[in-house]
Amino acid sequence: MYDFTTCPDRRNAAAEKYNDMLKKCPNVPEGIIPLSVADMEFKNAPEITEGLSEYLKDTVLGYTSPTEGFVEAVVSWLRDRHSYEIKREWLAVSDGVVPAIGDLIRGMTKEGDGIIILSPVYYPFKGSIERNNRKAIEIDLLYDGHEYTIDFESLEKAAADENNKLIIFCNPHNPVGRVWKKDELRRVYDICVKNDVFIIDDEIHNDLIMPGFEHTVLANIAEDAGKHMAVCIAPSKSFNLAGMQTSVVVIEDHEKRRAFWKSRSQSFRYDVNILGMEACRLAYTKCEKWLDGCIEVIHQNAEFLKNFMNEHFPEVVVYPLEGTYLMWCDFNAWGMSAEELEKFMINEAYLFLDEGYIFGDSGKGFERFNLACPKYVLEDALNRLLEARKRMLG
């Protein structure tokens, strides 16, 4: 039995989300847990912490190439967990999925090229595009108040524009929590291949699939599909290892892989964190049961949040959580501007979330809740929201 009830004290541990909370609200009371940045408020799997401790006894922490154990663990995990068969030579390493996306942008496009994203979406996508002097082509996801879908008509039009060379595709989608169906993935793939649009398939959340849903690696959607994309994965979200800065990019096409390495080498970034590789190996070979237990806790938290909102705030639209541990909620019925909503959450409810507007204009009025925490942490946060709202309404 794993411990998903202890919430580690990270307030003075240089944790990014806690530092950001204190910057926004220096007088925040003790015991408040932010539910913003996508890392977990759980203890790491003991197999990882104990394994790293043992590893450090005899290991020299020098420059290290990807180890045989690390590579085999990645290949086996993708095969056994995702039915995704790859060859070892397709693997490239990176110090994170976001840095890898930047390297791919530079390697696969030139300045001024258009890059398609489906908004609202993880904000470093647009940031990576603009910081590399490319043009972000934003296509808003369609939603009917209950489910998000892809605007294929707009995607067809954008892909047909010869100035648009690449799409960054979030699979599963952050922040809306969609696990794309096979027919949706096939349409995205067909459109991109027909128009020679290269695909960056961001699968960093691909292990975090809720009960009743099935994830498909985009490279599995058709024969030879992998030749038209780079698949980005990491153990960082699944096993709370973001600080280890270790990720993998699967690039089947040899020339595209060379372009990625050339882009990466321009900043003399060749290797990755030696402890990150070992933590990844331990996660993928020893911690699958821990992950399954973690998913069950997240699923229970999602049900609790949905039921709480339905009871107390039925006007708030809670989007179904199919994948990730990030729940997307529409507060526009409250009639607040995005700025007013953020101030209310921080100053009145002591709720520190990721504000919807950071994911694009279509996210204004939304909030993203991080559910990777013990249930009592979530319950306390929602009760603060309830009391703050009652005070507001008098």
Side-chain angles (χ1 to χ4, degrees), residues 6 178 190 231 287-288 317 392:
T6 298
R178 274 298 314 276
D190 286 343
V231 179
C287 299
E288 188 167 21
V317 180
M392 169 178 274

Side-chain angles (χ1 to χ4, degrees), residues 213-228:
F213 296 92
E214 180 182 356
H215 170 75
T216 300
V217 178
L218 187 56
N220 277 345
I221 207 65
E223 188 175 355
D224 294 331
K227 295 179 179 178
H228 303 278

Side-chain angles (χ1 to χ4, degrees), residues 32-286:
I32 299 295
I33 308 298
L35 302 178
S36 52
V37 176
D39 58 15
M40 298 180 177
E41 301 305 318
F42 298 131
K43 297 172 67 174
N44 282 105
E47 291 87 349
I48 293 175
T49 53
E50 293 166 10
L52 287 177
S53 179
E54 188 65 27
Y55 181 71
L56 282 167
K57 289 181 179 179
D58 300 309
T59 300
V60 175
L61 302 177
Y63 295 114
T64 306
S65 299
T67 63
E68 179 68 19
F70 166 72
V71 172
E72 176 57 35
V74 171
V75 171
S76 298
W77 182 260
L78 290 174
R79 181 190 64 232
D80 298 338
R81 186 90 179 181
H82 297 284
S83 301
Y84 180 31
E85 295 275 359
I86 65 169
K87 296 181 180 179
R88 295 176 178 223
E89 58 264 30
W90 298 351
L91 291 182
V93 294
S94 181
D95 43 338
V97 167
V98 172
I101 288 173
D103 291 327
L104 287 162
I105 287 172
R106 291 186 294 275
M108 308 302 169
T109 65
K110 65 180 185 301
E111 291 192 6
D113 283 347
I115 297 176
I116 301 166
I117 54 177
L118 306 180
S119 296
V121 75
Y122 184 50
Y123 51 91
F125 286 7
K126 186 175 182 179
S128 297
I129 294 167
E130 294 179 340
R131 292 182 188 186
N132 284 289
N133 300 315
R134 275 69 169 172
K135 183 178 180 182
I137 308 300
E138 294 187 72
I139 298 173
D140 286 345
L141 294 170
L142 303 174
Y143 75 100
D144 58 8
H146 298 283
E147 183 183 51
Y148 279 91
T149 55
I150 296 169
D151 183 349
F152 287 107
E153 183 178 342
S154 295
L155 179 58
E156 285 260 19
K157 183 177 179 180
D161 185 336
E162 63 181 12
N163 296 308
N164 300 333
K165 306 296 186 182
L166 188 150
I167 183 172
I168 309 175
F169 186 68
C170 203
N171 179 33
H173 193 92
N174 171 18
V176 309
R178 274 298 314 276
V179 172
W180 303 114
K181 298 182 177 71
K182 289 182 180 180
D183 63 325
E184 294 172 303
L185 294 173
R186 183 63 196 237
R187 287 190 70 182
V188 170
Y189 169 77
D190 286 343
I191 290 169
C192 291
V193 171
K194 180 177 71 174
N195 293 284
D196 197 25
V197 172
F198 189 76
I199 304 167
I200 299 176
D201 179 31
D202 175 10
E203 301 223 0
I204 197 168
H205 293 277
N206 69 359
D207 296 320
L208 296 158
I209 308 302
M210 296 301 107
F213 296 92
E214 180 182 356
H215 170 75
T216 300
V217 178
L218 187 56
N220 277 345
I221 207 65
E223 188 175 355
D224 294 331
K227 295 179 179 178
H228 303 278
M229 66 188 68
V231 179
C232 302
I233 68 162
S236 52
K237 302 303 179 190
S238 311
F239 299 96
N240 206 27
L241 297 174
M244 287 296 186
Q245 298 182 320
T246 300
S247 69
V248 170
V249 186
V250 183
I251 311 174
E252 186 173 341
D253 183 88
H254 177 68
E255 291 304 316
K256 295 290 195 299
R257 197 163 60 251
R258 285 185 61 187
F260 170 79
W261 278 121
K262 181 179 179 181
S263 177
R264 182 168 162 75
S265 67
Q266 287 175 339
S267 54
F268 290 89
R269 290 164 43 245
Y270 298 106
D271 301 317
V272 294
N273 188 326
I274 181 175
L275 294 182
M277 286 190 291
E278 179 60 11
C280 178
R281 186 193 70 81
L282 290 164
Y284 285 167
T285 58
K286 298 180 180 296

